[in-house]
Structure formats: C-alpha cells, structure tokens
Amino acid sequence: MKTMASMLLFLWLAIPAAAQDAPAPEKRSYSYLVYWRTARIGYQKSSWTTETVDGSRRDTISDETYIKIKRSFDGTTFEVRESSKKIYGPDWKPVSQSNERSDGGQKTTTEVKYSDKSISITEASGKGKPVNFEVSLEGKNFLDDQQAFAKLKAEGRLKAQQRLSFDAFSSSDK
C-alpha cells in the first residue's frame, strides 16, 4: 500500500513538471494610425503569435482596422470596421482564415478552411443565409501569399525589377 501511495505521489509531482515543458507562445503586436492628409481617420492593430501545437509550428496573424470619415460639406459620417484572423501551419501552409467587416449597417463574415484537396468558403452578408462553396485543388499547385513569398525567396527567384505573374484565387471573385 505504501508503494502505491508513493507511486501516486511521484506521478502527482511529475505531471506538472511535464506540462510546463511546452514553450510559451511568442507574440508580437503592432499598432498603426491611419491618416488622410493631416486628419487622423483611423487605426490598425496587428498581432502575430507563434506557438508550437502538437510538435508543429503554428502562426496566427490577427488584424483589427477601424476607419471613420466625416465629410465637411454635409456632415455625413462613414465608418468601416474589419477584423481578420489567419492561421498558418508549418511552412506557412494555410489552415484557416476568417474575416468580419462592418460597413455602416452592413456586416459581412467570411470563413475559409483549407484542406489538402479543397478550399471551403462560407460567406454571410447581413441577416441573409450563408453561402457555402468549395474549390477543388486537384492537379493544382496552390500557395498562399506567405508560402509563395517564402518559396520564391528560398529558390533565389526574388530579384530587383523582375516581374512575376500568378494565377489568383480570391473569395470575393468566387
């Protein structure tokens, strides 16, 4: 019985030590003010978090933007708010992306999920029914912006004044 109690005590003391081995996420934050001529019209806050999940690197980039414009000749005010979050796995492979935009009374949300064979997109505007569609990646070499830049840099193909062209996919283009 004493052996069992000492083993349980040993396990109880060993488990918290093992749980503390995971490194804390590294977070970098950036803040910007938005100006039009001499008037401050908004801001952008960005954060980039790097952490290890299941032994793999995961990067999360979050942006929050707010712009408010007031016209002097009639006093009309326009406000735009946008929040986005992009999650990348190892080698900047995209995992998911979400975007929420409020433009006056209109609110639009977009969620993108990436898999090895397809990209799934869900978009909702206002109080309307969400629209779902899927884009097949079969036979295509798909790279996100971050992946394309990293690949071109690794291959030594980023040179001054060199023009590169790509096929593009955007959820707004459907």
Side-chain angles (χ1 to χ4, degrees):
M1 189 69 172
K2 285 185 178 184
T3 306
M4 180 74 122
S6 63
M7 295 239 342
L8 286 174
L9 179 62
F10 175 74
L11 284 174
W12 181 70
L13 293 173
I15 289 174
Q20 294 174 357
D21 290 342
E26 179 184 344
K27 185 173 184 175
R28 296 169 289 282
S29 297
Y30 307 94
S31 296
Y32 308 95
L33 294 176
V34 179
Y35 286 88
W36 173 255
R37 297 187 183 179
T38 59
R40 187 175 82 195
I41 61 170
Y43 64 86
Q44 179 174 359
K45 294 179 182 178
S46 300
S47 68
W48 178 8
T49 306
T50 303
E51 59 188 330
T52 303
V53 177
D54 297 332
S56 299
R57 177 182 168 144
R58 176 170 285 182
D59 291 284
T60 303
I61 299 173
S62 301
D63 293 316
E64 180 185 335
T65 305
Y66 173 76
I67 295 176
K68 182 177 181 179
I69 301 171
K70 184 173 183 177
R71 295 193 308 202
S72 60
F73 63 89
D74 68 353
T76 305
T77 302
F78 301 93
E79 286 188 53
V80 177
R81 291 182 185 272
E82 186 168 2
S83 298
S84 66
K85 183 176 185 178
K86 297 178 182 180
I87 301 174
Y88 297 94
D91 297 326
W92 289 102
K93 182 178 180 183
V95 175
S96 69
Q97 176 177 324
S98 64
N99 188 22
E100 185 175 300
R101 180 182 173 99
S102 173
D103 188 355
Q106 184 74 20
K107 183 177 175 183
T108 305
T109 58
T110 305
E111 291 185 18
V112 182
K113 294 187 179 169
Y114 301 89
S115 71
D116 292 335
K117 297 183 180 183
S118 66
I119 300 172
S120 172
I121 301 169
T122 304
E123 190 170 77
S125 184
K127 295 182 181 179
K129 183 178 177 183
V131 177
N132 299 314
F133 59 98
E134 196 166 304
V135 177
S136 175
L137 297 177
E138 293 296 322
K140 297 176 185 145
N141 185 15
F142 172 78
L143 296 174
D144 184 83
D145 294 347
Q146 296 285 346
Q147 281 182 304
F149 178 77
K151 184 172 182 169
L152 290 171
K153 186 176 179 183
E155 293 175 356
R157 293 178 50 195
L158 291 178
K159 296 181 173 78
Q161 299 179 354
Q162 179 183 11
R163 185 180 185 124
L164 301 169
S165 62
F166 304 92
D167 291 330
F169 166 79
S170 171
S171 62
S172 61
D173 293 339
K174 308 280 191 289

